[in-house]
Amino acid sequence: MAKTGSPLEFAHRLDMADDILASIRESKPGLRLSKELQKAASEMGLALKAKDFDTLLAMEKIAVQRDFSVYGTELAQKSENGHKQIMERWRIVSNPRTAREDFQATYAPENLPKARIMDTVMESLIKTQCRRLSDYAKGNATPAEKLYFSRRQECLKAVYKEHMLHLSRALGQDQEKGKDRALSR
């Protein structure tokens, strides 16, 4: 007769796993990990407060590379590719000439005067990256991990707002309009 497994034994094994996980989180290394993640989130907060967007993007690149080495999942690979695309959009719009060329290539010349200033590609990239970070923070994440991932989301949204200001300036538009539209959807 084949052994089918016992629900009682299964529940016992899950309880043991939960106890081990709790002891790891409460252990010296677990507490150190939490403290370091909090410090990393704080460093990102300092760069955000200073409005140093190039540093924020460099920090995010490091974080994405860490995600890939720690989690090694398809999600981490997609995050890495998404970050590369965000960096490319940032580079294009950081130069007023290339920003104008990129925007003008999107619209027919007769539609340019009434075209709404937007970068749907960058908006989509940022929203997708933020969703991926939410996926990492779900489940059994510690409060420090949740803080770390939410700070990264906050920084990406700030990068998008600054990106839109760069685009508005490059197109000679009112800067306030760019602020109002940032991630409004």
Side-chain angles (χ1 to χ4, degrees), residues 114-162:
K114 58 188 175 215
R116 180 174 167 218
I117 296 176
M118 56 193 298
D119 186 343
T120 55
V121 173
M122 182 68 146
E123 182 179 26
S124 176
L125 289 168
I126 295 289
K127 284 182 176 181
T128 300
Q129 284 296 86
C130 287
R131 268 195 311 277
R132 288 178 183 136
L133 292 172
S134 288
D135 289 346
Y136 285 127
K138 285 181 184 171
N140 295 325
T142 65
E145 289 170 315
K146 289 178 182 180
L147 170 67
Y148 168 71
F149 289 118
S150 70
R151 180 62 50 86
R152 287 175 59 191
Q153 290 174 328
E154 179 185 355
C155 291
L156 283 170
K157 290 174 184 176
V159 164
Y160 177 76
K161 287 179 182 180
E162 186 67 15

Side-chain angles (χ1 to χ4, degrees), residues 28 65 71 75 77 81 102 106 117 123 135-137 142 168:
K28 219 173 194 176
Q65 289 169 341
Y71 302 109
L75 182 63
Q77 179 65 50
N81 292 335
D102 184 70
T106 307
I117 296 176
E123 182 179 26
D135 289 346
Y136 285 127
T142 65
S168 294

